[in-house]
């Protein structure tokens, strides 16, 4: 046994030593190059006499296989969707962004504000309505994502941040996206039918904004304002679901504050894609404002806080409301002051922090 072990070690040593002196056309050179390239996550090329090495080199890593099958999240990172959901479901889950719920929260907040304001003095908000609208926000946001990806799939394919989306990457066909959208709308209808008639009409009207928003970036530099019209619609819908009608003195300032808030966070968000937007020819407030962005979003922030204050005043809210509003104002001011609009990563961080404004 010791003899065989010594022979094995000796043979291996001779092979490694000899490989340093082989010619550049020998199989050993390609073997060594293969190892070096694989260490750098590159796929080497091989001559025809080493076909078997070429075949081995094409065996994808588990990450590559998942990306080819649409199992990786759109940012190229593994999420819980890729780990726990069945393979066939994962592209649809990514299409609906169910693993990225910041958008759902941003959509839900104006609704929660409205439901809270509609509560009777001295009473807590209607928790049934909060739960119902929480689920509704999840569905409406997923519907909006599907519509956006269907209409923007050609644009998304040209933008680095969005090119891995299921429709842009070709993992799903447009027809599959449309069928999935129909399923989402059917679920949303189930939520809507649980509201009063006044709210049902408002809910149906909101779908016009949801369906047309993705087109706005093609025609105007203010798609963020149009998004605000859509995302803040819950300020109207939440109040009507509780009261059965609208009180303009309360809900209109609330609705306006939601629009201005959206202009703040989505302009920051749009700065991530401004270079790609220029290349593909789409518009945004980030491109419109340019170096004056902070001045613009500071004004929007002031308008947002002013709208909330007016809404609270008209609703006869007490001092705790204004104390919390002052805290939110400080956070929003910090967010605007510290964001680095030239750094996509920081824009993304500040966008996420909008949730706590």
């Amino acid at each position: 046994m010791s003899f065989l072990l010594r022979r094995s070690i000796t043979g291996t040593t001779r092979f490694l030593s000899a490989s340093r002196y082989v010619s550049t056309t020998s199989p050993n050179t390609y073997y060594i190059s293969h190892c070096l390239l694989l260490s750098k996550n590159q796929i080497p090329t091989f001559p025809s006499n080493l076909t078997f090495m070429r075949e081995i080199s094409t065996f994808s890593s588990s990450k590559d296989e998942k990306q080819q099958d649409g199992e990786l999240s759109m940012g190229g990172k593994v999420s819980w969707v890729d780990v726990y959901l069945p393979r066939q479901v994962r592209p649809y889950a990514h299409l609906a962004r169910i693993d990225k719920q910041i958008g759902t929260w941003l959509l839900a907040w104006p609704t929660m504000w409205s439901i809270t304001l509609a509560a009777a003095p001295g009473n807590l908000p209607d928790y049934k309505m909060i739960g119902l609208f929480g689920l509704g926000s999840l569905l409406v946001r997923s519907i909006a994502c599907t519509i956006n990806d269907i209409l923007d799939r050609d644009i998304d394919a040209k933008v680095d941040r969005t090119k891995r989306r299921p429709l842009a990457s070709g993992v799903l066909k447009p027809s599959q996206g449309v069928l999935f959208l129909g399923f989402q709308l059917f679920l949303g209808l189930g939520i809507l039918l649980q509201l009063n008639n006044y709210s049902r009409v408002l809910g149906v009207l909101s779908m016009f904004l949801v369906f047309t928003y993705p087109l706005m970036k093609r025609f105007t530099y203010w798609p963020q304002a149009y998004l605000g019209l859509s995302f803040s619609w819950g300020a109207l819908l939440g109040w009507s679901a509780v009261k059965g009608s609208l009180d303009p003195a309360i809900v209109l300032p609330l609705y306006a504050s939601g629009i201005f808030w959206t202009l703040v966070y989505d302009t920051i968000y749009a700065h991530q894609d401004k270079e790609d937007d220029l290349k593909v020819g789409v518009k945004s407030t980030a491109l419109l404002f340019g170096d004056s962005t902070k001045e613009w979003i500071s004004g929007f922030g002031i308008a947002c806080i002013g709208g909330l204050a007016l809404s609270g005043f008209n609703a006869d809210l007490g001092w705790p409301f204004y104390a919390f509003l002052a805290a939110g104002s400080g956070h929003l001011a910090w967010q605007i002051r510290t964001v680095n609009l030239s750094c996509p990563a920081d824009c993304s961080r500040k966008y996420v922090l909008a949730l706590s404004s």
Side-chain angles (χ1 to χ4, degrees), residues 87-106:
R87 181 183 298 253
Q88 296 85 351
V89 175
R90 293 170 195 171
Y92 296 98
H94 286 307
L95 181 60
R97 317 278 206 280
I98 64 171
D99 57 338
K100 297 179 179 180
Q101 287 303 316
I102 179 66
T104 298
W105 283 105
L106 294 172

Side-chain angles (χ1 to χ4, degrees), residues 116-117 249-250 253-254 304-331 357:
T116 302
L117 284 173
I250 296 174
L254 187 64
C304 169
I305 299 303
L308 286 170
L310 179 59
S311 183
F313 176 80
N314 290 336
D316 295 323
L317 297 183
W319 67 265
F321 169 78
Y322 298 100
F324 282 107
L325 184 60
S329 303
H331 182 276
S357 294

Side-chain angles (χ1 to χ4, degrees), residues 322-344:
Y322 298 100
F324 282 107
L325 184 60
S329 303
H331 182 276
L332 186 62
W334 169 85
Q335 182 184 4
I336 294 171
R337 182 177 61 84
T338 60
V339 64
N340 182 357
L341 297 172
S342 299
C343 176

Side-chain angles (χ1 to χ4, degrees), residues 197-218:
N197 290 334
Y198 194 97
S199 301
R200 291 173 185 174
V201 174
L202 283 178
V204 171
L205 291 176
S206 72
M207 285 294 101
F208 174 79
L209 296 172
V210 173
F211 271 85
T212 55
Y213 161 69
L215 302 174
M216 291 300 109
K217 65 175 71 72
R218 295 163 170 82

